[in-house]
Amino acid sequence: MGTPEFACASLRALAEGGYRVVGVVTMPDKPVGRHGSVLQASPVKQYALSQRIPVLQPDKLKDARFLDELRALHADLQIVVAFRMLPEEVWDMPRFGTFNLHASLLPQYRGAAPINWAIIHGETVTGVTTFFLTHGMDTGRMIRQRPEPVSLTDDVGAVHDRLMTVGAGLTLETVDLLLENDGHLETVSQETLVRDAATLRPAPKLFHDTCQIDWRQPAKRVYDFIRGLSPCPAAWTTLFFDGGDCSTLKIFRAEILRETHSLSVGDIRTNAGRAPDVAVEDGFIRLLDLQVAGKKRMSAKDFLNGTKQNVSAVK
């Protein structure tokens, strides 16, 4: 059960690894195009069809017809990767139960955007976890974990791709453990790892407003915020020009400059046309890769060379 490319890696590993995948459950096809007149299948569905694996696409997971179709597959095990919360009648159906592959080291970063939030918070290690589904979001008993280091220059795209591969391997390892032990495994309660609930960092779904940069933060936090949202959905700010015009600006890559200055937070120096440097309380954030509303993604130098107005500030 899954939808995006992240889930496709685990499905591919299972299908091409000799396991009998009796069915795939994914989201309904998504309208795309200017008028939404074209329906696009999810990456998971596209791969499943290429392998002639039956595909179910329920609108509602409690729908009686869907439950009958799912039951008719006679699956021994269900695996969830980047899908939706399942009702008990679904996750409790197979004899081996249902496990989820989650892109964090649980119990940290429960929620829809674990990779983003781990980088936003400046983590140097993240990972993947398999756990049995139960009531509650990402709270079930853990089966196995694999850590993955995060460098100071990694963005979400890089970490996503590494965890996708590591996660596919952990999915196979978990399936093998279940088969070897006839479904009976020693698992770890997440609650035993939580000394203080206040130390848990959630990973809620990202929205447009969530991605707006707060330039009043220290340079490291702004930098981590930018790479934690790059390349998608991308951190954004409002760019102001000397003449008073403004535009939305997405930032994909930046670096920290540790310099003292007397500028106000958000003021921009253009560094002799090489790159815009945004003033923060403890230095500058140099913008390297960006996109102005209505334009293509480009280097900051190309942006400065191509704009007819002088940039003055961000907010």
Side-chain angles (χ1 to χ4, degrees):
M1 301 183 175
T3 297
E5 188 64 33
F6 191 91
C8 211
S10 290
L11 174 59
R12 185 180 296 109
L14 288 163
E16 297 174 11
Y19 301 84
R20 184 171 178 238
V21 182
V22 296
V24 159
V25 181
T26 190
M27 294 287 284
D29 294 356
K30 184 179 179 180
V32 295
R34 189 171 181 180
H35 303 291
S37 57
V38 178
L39 293 178
Q40 184 177 64
S42 72
V44 163
K45 178 181 178 180
Q46 292 177 42
Y47 178 78
L49 292 179
S50 75
Q51 301 298 307
R52 299 182 180 179
I53 301 172
V55 176
L56 303 181
Q57 295 179 273
D59 286 313
K60 297 180 180 179
L61 296 175
K62 292 186 177 181
D63 180 77
R65 181 178 177 181
F66 162 67
L67 293 175
D68 287 342
E69 290 175 337
L70 186 62
R71 198 174 290 111
L73 295 175
H74 301 292
D76 297 298
L77 173 68
Q78 291 174 162
I79 302 168
V80 178
V81 186
F83 194 49
R84 297 151 61 183
M85 281 195 68
L86 304 182
E88 183 174 357
E89 49 263 61
V90 172
W91 57 254
D92 195 42
M93 191 178 294
R95 67 187 184 99
F96 285 166
T98 302
F99 77 80
N100 183 286
L101 173 71
H102 187 72
S104 81
L105 296 177
L106 291 172
Q108 294 293 352
Y109 300 108
R110 295 167 175 164
I115 309 175
N116 300 92
W117 286 106
I119 298 177
I120 287 171
H121 286 298
E123 302 287 0
T124 57
V125 178
T126 184
V128 288
T129 304
T130 52
F131 68 94
F132 283 115
L133 285 193
T134 184
H135 300 286
M137 172 73 77
D138 302 328
T139 57
R141 296 185 66 87
M142 298 189 305
I143 306 168
R144 287 292 186 273
Q145 290 187 323
R146 282 192 187 174
E148 176 66 23
V150 179
S151 78
L152 292 177
T153 57
D154 277 334
D155 62 15
V156 159
V159 178
H160 170 279
D161 290 351
R162 296 205 304 271
L163 290 183
M164 181 168 63
T165 300
V166 173
L170 186 59
T171 295
L172 297 190
E173 179 184 327
T174 303
V175 173
D176 288 343
L177 285 169
L178 284 163
L179 292 175
E180 291 167 8
N181 295 276
D182 197 31
H184 303 292
L185 295 180
E186 289 188 13
T187 55
V188 177
S189 168
Q190 293 190 41
E191 301 311 312
T192 63
L193 304 177
V194 181
R195 296 180 180 178
D196 181 359
T199 64
L200 292 179
R201 286 177 163 170
K205 185 177 179 179
L206 296 167
F207 296 95
H208 178 70
D209 290 348
T210 315
C211 301
Q212 184 175 12
I213 300 170
D214 181 358
W215 296 102
R216 297 167 297 179
Q217 300 179 99
K220 178 63 164 58
R221 292 192 65 180
V222 175
Y223 171 75
D224 289 340
F225 189 80
I226 291 170
R227 68 191 183 99
L229 295 169
S230 178
C232 185
W236 66 273
T237 189
T238 302
L239 176 67
F240 292 89
F241 299 91
D242 282 347
D245 292 338
C246 63
S247 177
T248 299
L249 179 71
K250 290 183 177 181
I251 303 170
F252 301 97
R253 193 164 59 91
E255 64 181 358
I256 299 172
L257 302 179
R258 299 293 187 185
E259 299 179 23
T260 57
H261 61 80
S262 57
L263 298 177
S264 298
V265 169
D267 283 353
I268 291 178
R269 68 178 189 187
T270 53
N271 192 35
R274 291 193 297 271
D277 295 340
V278 180
V280 292
E281 63 181 31
D282 57 346
F284 291 92
I285 297 293
R286 175 164 291 175
L287 310 186
L288 300 175
D289 197 358
L290 48 80
Q291 182 179 14
V292 181
K295 303 289 185 179
K296 294 181 179 180
R297 179 173 169 173
M298 67 185 78
S299 71
K301 183 178 180 180
D302 287 345
F303 163 68
L304 289 178
N305 290 338
T307 184
K308 298 179 180 179
Q309 298 176 282
N310 292 325
V311 294
S312 60
V314 291
K315 184 177 180 181

